[in-house]
PDB file of all heavy atoms in Angstrom:
ATOM      1  N   SER A  37       3.282  12.599  -3.169  1.00 95.00           N
ATOM      2  CA  SER A  37       3.331  13.488  -2.005  1.00 95.00           C
ATOM      3  C   SER A  37       2.427  12.964  -0.883  1.00 95.00           C
ATOM      4  O   SER A  37       1.358  12.411  -1.129  1.00 95.00           O
ATOM      5  CB  SER A  37       2.959  14.920  -2.388  1.00 95.00           C
ATOM      6  OG  SER A  37       1.652  14.973  -2.907  1.00 95.00           O
ATOM      7  N   PHE A  38       2.883  13.146   0.310  1.00 96.00           N
ATOM      8  CA  PHE A  38       2.213  12.671   1.519  1.00 96.00           C
ATOM      9  C   PHE A  38       0.962  13.499   1.779  1.00 96.00           C
ATOM     10  O   PHE A  38       1.008  14.720   1.779  1.00 96.00           O
ATOM     11  CB  PHE A  38       3.207  12.787   2.678  1.00 96.00           C
ATOM     12  CG  PHE A  38       2.672  12.402   4.022  1.00 96.00           C
ATOM     13  CD1 PHE A  38       2.440  11.078   4.333  1.00 96.00           C
ATOM     14  CD2 PHE A  38       2.437  13.359   4.988  1.00 96.00           C
ATOM     15  CE1 PHE A  38       1.969  10.709   5.581  1.00 96.00           C
ATOM     16  CE2 PHE A  38       1.969  13.008   6.240  1.00 96.00           C
ATOM     17  CZ  PHE A  38       1.737  11.682   6.535  1.00 96.00           C
ATOM     18  N   VAL A  39      -0.173  12.840   2.022  1.00 96.00           N
ATOM     19  CA  VAL A  39      -1.429  13.518   2.331  1.00 96.00           C
ATOM     20  C   VAL A  39      -1.703  13.457   3.827  1.00 96.00           C
ATOM     21  O   VAL A  39      -1.850  14.482   4.482  1.00 96.00           O
ATOM     22  CB  VAL A  39      -2.618  12.911   1.555  1.00 96.00           C
ATOM     23  CG1 VAL A  39      -3.927  13.554   1.967  1.00 96.00           C
ATOM     24  CG2 VAL A  39      -2.408  13.026   0.060  1.00 96.00           C
ATOM     25  N   GLU A  40      -1.769  12.231   4.365  1.00 96.00           N
ATOM     26  CA  GLU A  40      -2.019  12.052   5.787  1.00 96.00           C
ATOM     27  C   GLU A  40      -1.486  10.694   6.219  1.00 96.00           C
ATOM     28  O   GLU A  40      -1.328   9.790   5.401  1.00 96.00           O
ATOM     29  CB  GLU A  40      -3.509  12.152   6.110  1.00 96.00           C
ATOM     30  CG  GLU A  40      -4.360  11.077   5.448  1.00 96.00           C
ATOM     31  CD  GLU A  40      -5.832  11.188   5.770  1.00 96.00           C
ATOM     32  OE1 GLU A  40      -6.178  11.655   6.867  1.00 96.00           O
ATOM     33  OE2 GLU A  40      -6.637  10.785   4.913  1.00 96.00           O
ATOM     34  N   GLY A  41      -1.222  10.589   7.500  1.00 96.00           N
ATOM     35  CA  GLY A  41      -0.755   9.324   8.030  1.00 96.00           C
ATOM     36  C   GLY A  41      -1.044   9.222   9.515  1.00 96.00           C
ATOM     37  O   GLY A  41      -1.097  10.233  10.223  1.00 96.00           O
ATOM     38  N   TYR A  42      -1.236   7.998   9.967  1.00 96.00           N
ATOM     39  CA  TYR A  42      -1.520   7.739  11.366  1.00 96.00           C
ATOM     40  C   TYR A  42      -0.735   6.507  11.790  1.00 96.00           C
ATOM     41  O   TYR A  42      -0.521   5.590  11.003  1.00 96.00           O
ATOM     42  CB  TYR A  42      -3.022   7.488  11.562  1.00 96.00           C
ATOM     43  CG  TYR A  42      -3.886   8.593  11.030  1.00 96.00           C
ATOM     44  CD1 TYR A  42      -4.464   8.512   9.779  1.00 96.00           C
ATOM     45  CD2 TYR A  42      -4.090   9.748  11.776  1.00 96.00           C
ATOM     46  CE1 TYR A  42      -5.237   9.528   9.275  1.00 96.00           C
ATOM     47  CE2 TYR A  42      -4.865  10.783  11.288  1.00 96.00           C
ATOM     48  CZ  TYR A  42      -5.432  10.667  10.037  1.00 96.00           C
ATOM     49  OH  TYR A  42      -6.196  11.694   9.546  1.00 96.00           O
ATOM     50  N   GLY A  43      -0.343   6.496  13.041  1.00 96.00           N
ATOM     51  CA  GLY A  43       0.349   5.319  13.544  1.00 96.00           C
ATOM     52  C   GLY A  43       1.497   5.660  14.460  1.00 96.00           C
ATOM     53  O   GLY A  43       1.624   6.777  14.950  1.00 96.00           O
ATOM     54  N   MET A  44       2.349   4.653  14.641  1.00 89.00           N
ATOM     55  CA  MET A  44       3.410   4.725  15.622  1.00 89.00           C
ATOM     56  C   MET A  44       4.750   5.059  14.981  1.00 89.00           C
ATOM     57  O   MET A  44       5.747   4.394  15.226  1.00 89.00           O
ATOM     58  CB  MET A  44       3.493   3.393  16.351  1.00 89.00           C
ATOM     59  CG  MET A  44       2.147   2.890  16.776  1.00 89.00           C
ATOM     60  SD  MET A  44       1.880   2.579  18.469  1.00 89.00           S
ATOM     61  CE  MET A  44       2.698   1.103  18.852  1.00 89.00           C
ATOM     62  N   MET A  45       4.781   6.078  14.158  1.00 93.00           N
ATOM     63  CA  MET A  45       6.041   6.564  13.593  1.00 93.00           C
ATOM     64  C   MET A  45       5.930   8.060  13.350  1.00 93.00           C
ATOM     65  O   MET A  45       4.829   8.578  13.163  1.00 93.00           O
ATOM     66  CB  MET A  45       6.419   5.800  12.318  1.00 93.00           C
ATOM     67  CG  MET A  45       5.368   5.669  11.296  1.00 93.00           C
ATOM     68  SD  MET A  45       5.676   4.541   9.875  1.00 93.00           S
ATOM     69  CE  MET A  45       7.371   4.488   9.589  1.00 93.00           C
ATOM     70  N   PRO A  46       7.065   8.752  13.381  1.00 96.00           N
ATOM     71  CA  PRO A  46       7.040  10.205  13.138  1.00 96.00           C
ATOM     72  C   PRO A  46       6.544  10.530  11.727  1.00 96.00           C
ATOM     73  O   PRO A  46       6.638   9.704  10.816  1.00 96.00           O
ATOM     74  CB  PRO A  46       8.503  10.620  13.299  1.00 96.00           C
ATOM     75  CG  PRO A  46       9.198   9.485  13.947  1.00 96.00           C
ATOM     76  CD  PRO A  46       8.398   8.265  13.679  1.00 96.00           C
ATOM     77  N   GLU A  47       6.030  11.732  11.571  1.00 94.00           N
ATOM     78  CA  GLU A  47       5.453  12.136  10.297  1.00 94.00           C
ATOM     79  C   GLU A  47       6.469  12.104   9.155  1.00 94.00           C
ATOM     80  O   GLU A  47       6.127  11.752   8.032  1.00 94.00           O
ATOM     81  CB  GLU A  47       4.837  13.535  10.394  1.00 94.00           C
ATOM     82  CG  GLU A  47       4.034  13.886   9.171  1.00 94.00           C
ATOM     83  CD  GLU A  47       3.208  15.146   9.329  1.00 94.00           C
ATOM     84  OE1 GLU A  47       2.660  15.363  10.416  1.00 94.00           O
ATOM     85  OE2 GLU A  47       3.126  15.895   8.350  1.00 94.00           O
ATOM     86  N   ASP A  48       7.721  12.438   9.420  1.00 96.00           N
ATOM     87  CA  ASP A  48       8.722  12.405   8.345  1.00 96.00           C
ATOM     88  C   ASP A  48       8.970  10.972   7.859  1.00 96.00           C
ATOM     89  O   ASP A  48       9.192  10.746   6.673  1.00 96.00           O
ATOM     90  CB  ASP A  48      10.020  13.083   8.765  1.00 96.00           C
ATOM     91  CG  ASP A  48      10.715  12.403   9.935  1.00 96.00           C
ATOM     92  OD1 ASP A  48      10.017  11.853  10.811  1.00 96.00           O
ATOM     93  OD2 ASP A  48      11.959  12.426   9.968  1.00 96.00           O
ATOM     94  N   GLN A  49       8.885   9.998   8.751  1.00 96.00           N
ATOM     95  CA  GLN A  49       9.018   8.604   8.343  1.00 96.00           C
ATOM     96  C   GLN A  49       7.787   8.141   7.575  1.00 96.00           C
ATOM     97  O   GLN A  49       7.894   7.348   6.640  1.00 96.00           O
ATOM     98  CB  GLN A  49       9.268   7.699   9.543  1.00 96.00           C
ATOM     99  CG  GLN A  49      10.643   7.866  10.131  1.00 96.00           C
ATOM    100  CD  GLN A  49      10.883   6.931  11.307  1.00 96.00           C
ATOM    101  OE1 GLN A  49       9.978   6.236  11.770  1.00 96.00           O
ATOM    102  NE2 GLN A  49      12.118   6.933  11.801  1.00 96.00           N
ATOM    103  N   MET A  50       6.627   8.640   7.959  1.00 96.00           N
ATOM    104  CA  MET A  50       5.409   8.314   7.209  1.00 96.00           C
ATOM    105  C   MET A  50       5.474   8.892   5.801  1.00 96.00           C
ATOM    106  O   MET A  50       5.056   8.244   4.840  1.00 96.00           O
ATOM    107  CB  MET A  50       4.170   8.817   7.942  1.00 96.00           C
ATOM    108  CG  MET A  50       3.814   7.982   9.132  1.00 96.00           C
ATOM    109  SD  MET A  50       2.177   8.408   9.712  1.00 96.00           S
ATOM    110  CE  MET A  50       2.392   8.164  11.441  1.00 96.00           C
ATOM    111  N   ALA A  51       6.008  10.089   5.686  1.00 96.00           N
ATOM    112  CA  ALA A  51       6.173  10.689   4.362  1.00 96.00           C
ATOM    113  C   ALA A  51       7.154   9.853   3.530  1.00 96.00           C
ATOM    114  O   ALA A  51       6.950   9.658   2.327  1.00 96.00           O
ATOM    115  CB  ALA A  51       6.670  12.121   4.491  1.00 96.00           C
ATOM    116  N   GLY A  52       8.189   9.329   4.160  1.00 96.00           N
ATOM    117  CA  GLY A  52       9.127   8.441   3.472  1.00 96.00           C
ATOM    118  C   GLY A  52       8.468   7.143   3.039  1.00 96.00           C
ATOM    119  O   GLY A  52       8.733   6.622   1.947  1.00 96.00           O
ATOM    120  N   LEU A  53       7.604   6.605   3.892  1.00 97.00           N
ATOM    121  CA  LEU A  53       6.848   5.395   3.556  1.00 97.00           C
ATOM    122  C   LEU A  53       5.946   5.654   2.353  1.00 97.00           C
ATOM    123  O   LEU A  53       5.855   4.832   1.437  1.00 97.00           O
ATOM    124  CB  LEU A  53       6.034   4.933   4.760  1.00 97.00           C
ATOM    125  CG  LEU A  53       5.160   3.698   4.586  1.00 97.00           C
ATOM    126  CD1 LEU A  53       6.008   2.477   4.263  1.00 97.00           C
ATOM    127  CD2 LEU A  53       4.338   3.463   5.850  1.00 97.00           C
ATOM    128  N   ALA A  54       5.297   6.806   2.342  1.00 97.00           N
ATOM    129  CA  ALA A  54       4.428   7.170   1.214  1.00 97.00           C
ATOM    130  C   ALA A  54       5.241   7.303  -0.075  1.00 97.00           C
ATOM    131  O   ALA A  54       4.816   6.837  -1.141  1.00 97.00           O
ATOM    132  CB  ALA A  54       3.686   8.470   1.516  1.00 97.00           C
ATOM    133  N   HIS A  55       6.415   7.905   0.009  1.00 97.00           N
ATOM    134  CA  HIS A  55       7.285   8.066  -1.164  1.00 97.00           C
ATOM    135  C   HIS A  55       7.740   6.691  -1.674  1.00 97.00           C
ATOM    136  O   HIS A  55       7.726   6.424  -2.877  1.00 97.00           O
ATOM    137  CB  HIS A  55       8.482   8.945  -0.806  1.00 97.00           C
ATOM    138  CG  HIS A  55       9.379   9.232  -1.955  1.00 97.00           C
ATOM    139  ND1 HIS A  55       9.033  10.081  -2.976  1.00 97.00           N
ATOM    140  CD2 HIS A  55      10.608   8.755  -2.264  1.00 97.00           C
ATOM    141  CE1 HIS A  55      10.004  10.122  -3.853  1.00 97.00           C
ATOM    142  NE2 HIS A  55      10.979   9.320  -3.441  1.00 97.00           N
TER     143      HIS A  55
END
Side-chain angles (χ1 to χ4, degrees):
S37 61
F38 177 73
V39 176
E40 63 180 329
Y42 305 97
M44 314 238 285
M45 50 190 331
E47 190 170 321
D48 63 327
Q49 289 181 353
M50 285 192 214
L53 179 62
H55 183 72

